[in-house]
């Protein structure tokens, strides 16, 4: 039987995620949280494939998180919705859509490495959605762990105003526990997997140092709270409640980022982190009303309070293909959803029906009858809703800002081994594309090949394995290829007259188009400067559609056009023979000719890399990177390791994981993230022009 609706006071609800660079210990931290909150009776471990939150076979085999997993837990009378996110850049879309709907986040850092490449990425993603954060310096038990150096890297590389709340005592083999600077207690963890938390006064040999650190904490807090500032200036000792209140105020406003220390693998420091989550991260009430716009009038703002009694406003942020029906994960901002209730999708103008409501615990599910504002739920039965769609009440329509995802940078061909598998392959690819917004499926118009595109080698490899193993599709898969783009070198203009006799009816249009390059990341922009006398609005709209379609088609090379401003400069209409189809076709041809006149440039994906290696192997690793055409921007000392940073063309990094392991006897690791596009070399342009 489905459970009845469980109501939680919204001030006691916390929606938060755990995110970090790969291997910083996100999932290990999540597993301890599940254990200490009583959700699980045994701790799952990433290294032996038993982690609860890494439930996919691919995750268990590789020891990494691939898809964001959600669960619901309770701590100190609070209701917590937790999402454990991936750390690998190929799956950054999972972090993006999770942070879009969360109220807070815990960013985990490796105490040996401090801020790493993907740490910066997730931090910027959180900043984009103004998500308040806590920092957890993990792995204090590792050789080379350095709490202060990690804090300094956060300040320098993330420009974050951090305030340490707990400080580790010792590091590596000498790590003994932490000091709580708010209560001035020495905290140790023992018993059954760290369940017994012991608090005693700070030992005398640590007292002076910790008093100085506490003064730094209070000075930092004083900038966020006037009342606390008065006490600090008057040298009056504030109460613990006053310190907690000031911390909460600063965190909710994203003015400060508290830092806690510990080692999740050795079961130390996670309970204080849980306390900090409920004390300082915001509730849905703290985040305030949800603001969207009227789908019929985008200039008109619509706002609802986070209450069950308000009209429904929810955002679909993740879809999982399931044998029993797709699961659509939804964050409810206002109103409530009942099982069987109709939901309105304003983007599509369609009604959907919630057949079942599920609270998720990784891959397990618990059915509920109704769920209200401030909660995260999975819905079975939505057939048309896509990631980023708003769900609302038809009588009170509202649309929220959608979620934007990066474009794929790598592709490969796939074809069924037999005709019998063709329809099945198309069906499964469509399901995977609906589930993953960064996975694209297309057909090469010249060869007829089906192409799949994603965010990197690992991304496509995981999807390939799912096709072959999970869905049992017999298919041949080609080698990965970089997804190139084109743009224009300079301004260009062209005028084209299109004239055809279609079904004995003459159709004609003349369009004049101008193009010019835009800064990287601008996309395609369109401006209409044609007179209504020459081109009426309906034909101008058709011309825009034709030019954009031509840009997507990629001119003669087949590589989509990016970062170009298209201007409709003018045109001519025939009194009886002009049609929208004619203006679309004329604009497409004029756009292609204008690009040729401006000079077509082929672009390749550029990646920002970070290779972490023992000092003994810096020379061979650097030489290999330079051989691949990498621009090395610098290297940092991190304990006994060095981190080499720079940029390189993605095309040069295929198979790099094997190469860097060979160069370092398996001791180096690396990460990459997209850094835009750059013009290909003359040699590569010749090769690509010849191939395509």
């Amino acid at each position: 039987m489905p459970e009845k609706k469980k109501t939680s006071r919204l001030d006691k609800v916390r929606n938060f995620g755990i995110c970090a660079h790969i291997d910083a210990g996100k999932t290990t931290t999540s597993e301890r949280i599940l254990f200490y909150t009583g959700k699980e009776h045994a701790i799952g471990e990433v290294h032996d494939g038993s982690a609860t939150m890494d439930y996919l076979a691919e995750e268990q085999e590789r020891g990494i998180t691939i898809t964001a997993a959600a669960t619901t837990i309770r701590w100190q009378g609070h209701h917590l919705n937790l999402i454990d996110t991936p750390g690998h850049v190929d799956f950054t879309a999972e972090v993006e859509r999770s942070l879009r709907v969360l109220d807070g986040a815990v960013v985990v850092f490796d105490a040996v490495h401090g801020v790493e490449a993907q740490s910066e990425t997730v931090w910027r993603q959180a900043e984009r959605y103004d998500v308040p954060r806590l920092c957890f310096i993990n792995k204090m038990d590792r050789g080379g762990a350095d709490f202060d150096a990690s804090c300094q890297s956060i300040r320098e590389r993330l420009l974050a105003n951090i305030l340490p709340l707990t400080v580790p005592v010792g590091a590596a083999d000498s790590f003994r526990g932490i000091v709580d600077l708010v209560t001035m207690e020495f905290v140790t963890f023992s018993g059954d997997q760290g369940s017994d938390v012991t608090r005693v006064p700070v030992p005398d040999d640590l007292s002076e140092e910790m008093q100085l650190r506490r003064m730094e904490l209070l000075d930092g807090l004083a900038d966020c709270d006037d009342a606390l500032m008065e006490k600090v200036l008057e040298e009056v000792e504030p109460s613990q409640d006053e310190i907690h209140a000031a911390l909460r105020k600063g965190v909710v406003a994203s003015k400060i980022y508290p830092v806690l220390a510990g080692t999740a693998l050795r079961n130390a420091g996670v309970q204080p982190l849980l306390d900090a989550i409920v004390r300082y991260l915001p509730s849905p009430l703290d985040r305030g009303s949800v603001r969207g716009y009227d789908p019929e009038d985008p200039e008109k703002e619509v706002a609802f309070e986070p209450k069950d009694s308000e009209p429904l406003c929810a955002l679909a942020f993740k879809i999982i293909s399931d044998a029993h029906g797709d699961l659509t994960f939804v964050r409810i901002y206002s109103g409530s959803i009942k099982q069987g209730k109709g939901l309105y999708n304003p983007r599509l103008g369609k009604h959907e029906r919630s057949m079942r409501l599920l609270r998720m615990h990784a891959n397990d599910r618990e059915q509920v009858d109704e769920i209200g504002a401030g909660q995260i739920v999975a819905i079975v039965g939505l057939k048309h809703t896509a990631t980023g769609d708003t769900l609302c009440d038809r009588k009170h329509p509202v649309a929220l800002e959608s979620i934007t995802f990066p474009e794929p940078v790598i592709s490969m061909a796939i074809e069924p081994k037999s005709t019998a598998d063709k329809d099945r392959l198309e069906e499964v690819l469509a399901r995977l594309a609906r589930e993953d917004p960064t996975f694209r499926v297309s057909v090469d118009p010249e060869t007829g090949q089906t192409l799949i595109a994603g965010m990197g080698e690992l991304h496509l490899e995981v999807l390939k394995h799912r096709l072959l193993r999970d869905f049992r599709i017999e298919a041949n898969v080609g080698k990965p290829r970089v997804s190139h783009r084109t743009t224009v070198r300079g301004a260009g203009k062209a005028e084209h007259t299109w004239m055809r006799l279609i079904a004995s009816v003459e159709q004609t249009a003349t369009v004049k188009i101008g193009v010019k390059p835009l800064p990287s990341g601008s996309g395609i922009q369109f401006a209409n400067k044609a007179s209504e006398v020459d081109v009426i609005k309906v034909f101008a709209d058709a011309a825009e559609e034709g030019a954009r379609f031509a840009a997507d088609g990629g001119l003669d090379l087949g590589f989509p056009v990016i970062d170009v401003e298209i201007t409709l400069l003018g045109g001519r209409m025939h009194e009886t023979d002009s049609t929208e189809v004619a203006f679309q076709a004329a604009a497409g041809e004029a756009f292609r000719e204008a690009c040729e006149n401006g000079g077509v440039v082929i672009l390749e994906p550029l990646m920002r890399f970070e290779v972490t290696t023992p000092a003994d192997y810096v020379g061979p690793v650097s030489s290999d990177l330079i051989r691949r055409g990498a621009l090395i921007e610098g290297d940092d000392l991190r304990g006994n390791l060095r981190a080499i940073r720079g940029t390189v063309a993605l095309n040069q990094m295929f198979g790099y994981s094997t190469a860097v392991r060979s160069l370092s006897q398996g001791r180096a690791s690396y990460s990459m993230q997209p850094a835009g596009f750059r013009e290909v070399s003359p040699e590569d342009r010749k090769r690509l022009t010849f191939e395509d």
Side-chain angles (χ1 to χ4, degrees), residues 578-626:
S578 286
T579 63
E580 291 177 56
V581 170
F583 268 89
Q584 284 178 3
E589 292 301 325
F591 170 75
R592 294 184 184 93
E593 293 169 14
C595 287
E596 291 294 333
N597 294 335
V600 177
V601 176
I602 303 177
L603 305 174
E604 64 182 348
L606 189 66
M607 307 300 287
R608 186 166 300 282
F609 67 82
E610 184 173 281
V611 182
T612 304
T613 177
D616 293 347
Y617 306 105
V618 168
V621 169
S622 297
S623 297
D624 180 69
L625 287 167
I626 292 170

Side-chain angles (χ1 to χ4, degrees), residues 151-163:
C151 287
Q152 190 60 26
S153 72
I154 296 173
R155 292 188 181 99
E156 292 178 353
R157 296 186 63 177
L158 303 181
L159 303 177
N161 182 22
I162 60 171
L163 292 177

Side-chain angles (χ1 to χ4, degrees), residues 155 161-167 179-184 209-224 228 232 237-238 240 243-244 246-247 256-259 280:
R155 292 188 181 99
N161 182 22
I162 60 171
L163 292 177
L165 298 189
T166 66
V167 179
V179 169
D180 185 331
L181 296 180
V182 177
T183 64
M184 286 303 285
E209 178 194 349
M210 296 306 163
Q211 285 292 351
L212 289 173
R213 289 182 179 268
R214 191 171 194 271
M215 287 174 60
E216 292 173 358
L217 168 63
L218 295 179
D219 287 343
L221 274 179
D223 294 335
C224 304
L228 193 68
V232 170
E237 180 68 19
Q240 291 181 23
I243 296 174
H244 289 317
L247 280 164
I256 58 172
Y257 305 98
V259 179
Y280 310 131

